[in-house]
Amino acid sequence: MRNANVIEFPKAQSVRKRLQDKAQEQKAVLVLSIASVLLMTVFLNQWLVRGPDQTLANGANRGVASFEPSSFAKDVKWEHDLAKRMATEKSAMAASLAEAPTLRDELVFGYLEGKYGMKLAQGRIESLEFIDAQAGEHPMAIEDKAGFLRKYSEAFGMNYAEVSVASNAAGEQVYSLIDSSKQIIGKAQFVTDDQGRVQAINFGH
């Protein structure tokens, strides 16, 4: 009669081997699970910081092996700096847009409706010339030319206090520009078409 322990030994060894194999499989599954969690964590962090579009676009070129905490921290800092710079530029732009238009802006783009080109000389307006003929526009008829010159004296860049008619001929009217000491410091010449509409305004001494 055979000893029971001797007969059962191979069977026990087989069971032990299966248990060991199963334990190895469980360890492998655990390692894969941990790796999957890490991958998902990295991807989620990139998705939250960069946005889904950029993360997907870079996915083909950047693997997990290329990911380093130091480079990730640099990217986050760069994005924070960019956000701050954009906020500053946006505030500056808003402040610029909030500035009140100058009298010259009101003259060229308001009263003259942007129809006249402006030529400057030494910080003052040297001439205004009608430029919108090709767009089907017509020159403006300035009825009160003396009042027009008085209202926008600061915009023209000439320190005159009074306006007086110097000559009035067909197609051309000239006004003297007089300072507070009654001295003529310049002249304004209105060039008009046959319907009295202003083609150009020239300023001189």
Side-chain angles (χ1 to χ4, degrees):
M1 183 176 181
R2 295 182 179 179
N3 191 315
N5 291 334
V6 173
I7 294 173
E8 293 178 358
F9 178 77
K11 185 178 180 180
Q13 188 176 21
S14 176
V15 171
R16 189 181 299 112
K17 187 176 185 305
R18 285 200 300 269
L19 291 175
Q20 289 176 350
D21 291 342
K22 189 173 183 180
Q24 291 295 332
E25 291 177 1
Q26 289 177 345
K27 287 182 181 179
V29 170
L30 180 61
V31 170
L32 289 175
S33 299
I34 294 174
S36 298
V37 171
L38 290 175
L39 285 174
M40 290 300 298
T41 302
V42 170
F43 179 79
L44 182 61
N45 285 337
Q46 289 183 333
W47 187 85
L48 289 174
V49 175
R50 296 175 178 273
D53 295 337
Q54 186 174 356
T55 301
L56 292 175
N58 293 338
N61 298 324
R62 297 186 62 186
V64 178
S66 65
F67 177 81
E68 296 179 3
S70 59
S71 63
F72 181 75
K74 290 179 181 178
D75 290 343
V76 173
K77 184 177 184 302
W78 178 82
E79 290 179 2
H80 286 176
D81 292 341
L82 178 62
K84 290 180 182 179
R85 187 162 62 251
M86 290 180 66
T88 301
E89 292 176 355
K90 184 177 180 181
S91 299
M93 183 180 295
S96 177
L97 292 175
E99 291 180 0
T102 64
L103 186 62
R104 184 173 292 179
D105 293 333
E106 198 279 325
L107 165 66
V108 176
F109 301 105
Y111 186 90
L112 297 177
E113 302 175 357
K115 297 179 179 181
Y116 291 77
M118 177 175 58
K119 182 179 179 181
L120 297 176
Q122 298 179 348
R124 67 178 183 84
I125 296 177
E126 186 175 73
S127 66
L128 291 163
E129 185 175 352
F130 178 67
I131 57 175
D132 272 357
Q134 294 182 351
E137 297 288 346
H138 300 287
M140 299 185 65
I142 303 176
E143 301 295 340
D144 185 4
K145 295 179 177 60
F148 169 80
L149 291 171
R150 283 192 293 268
K151 179 178 181 179
Y152 293 106
S153 60
E154 183 180 341
F156 297 130
M158 301 180 69
N159 189 25
Y160 58 87
E162 299 180 25
V163 177
S164 175
V165 176
S167 64
N168 190 355
E172 179 183 289
Q173 294 173 303
V174 179
Y175 291 79
S176 296
L177 309 176
I178 306 168
D179 65 10
S180 56
S181 61
K182 305 300 181 181
Q183 297 293 319
I184 296 176
I185 60 173
K187 293 184 180 296
Q189 175 197 39
F190 289 81
V191 179
T192 58
D193 60 14
D194 54 359
Q195 298 183 40
R197 297 174 300 193
V198 178
Q199 293 280 358
I201 307 173
N202 301 311
F203 294 89
H205 294 286

